[in-house]
Amino acid sequence: SRRRHTRYWRDWSSDVCSSDLLGLMIAADAGYDPRQSITLWQRMGGQGGAPPEFLSTHPSDETRVKRLTKLMPQAMKAYEAAQAAGRK
């Protein structure tokens, strides 16, 4: 049913969002500039060919950029701490 599919998509979307956050924070803690993640997804979005978000099992590139932008203050703190510690 449509309701079951919508619930599955929300669960999957939540998992992807968690993975994006984890990846962003691991990279920042390793000394990689987290702002580059936004550039990456903007470039991915410029490639075209992606299905509409409601037909996909993953968030759109635009949605990922919005989420990453919201997470950026937290990631920048980790990045700055990594830089101060001499990582990367």
Side-chain angles (χ1 to χ4, degrees):
S1 80
R2 182 171 187 222
R3 184 177 180 172
R4 188 173 4 162
H5 174 73
T6 303
R7 188 184 76 225
Y8 171 77
W9 183 86
R10 281 191 205 129
D11 292 345
W12 184 266
S13 177
S14 176
D15 290 345
V16 171
C17 185
S18 296
S19 297
D20 286 348
L21 171 61
L22 184 61
L24 182 68
M25 296 308 294
I26 288 172
D29 190 51
Y32 291 93
D33 187 344
R35 295 170 290 199
Q36 294 303 311
S37 63
I38 292 174
T39 303
L40 169 78
W41 286 108
Q42 287 171 334
R43 288 181 181 163
M44 294 289 284
Q47 298 296 314
E53 187 172 43
F54 72 91
L55 292 176
S56 179
T57 58
H58 287 73
S60 69
D61 302 327
E62 182 180 321
T63 296
R64 285 186 192 244
V65 167
K66 286 178 185 176
R67 287 180 182 163
L68 291 169
T69 299
K70 286 182 182 178
L71 297 169
M72 200 52 57
Q74 181 182 354
M76 287 304 295
K77 286 180 184 176
Y79 174 64
E80 290 164 3
Q83 293 290 298
R87 291 191 288 274
K88 182 137 178 1

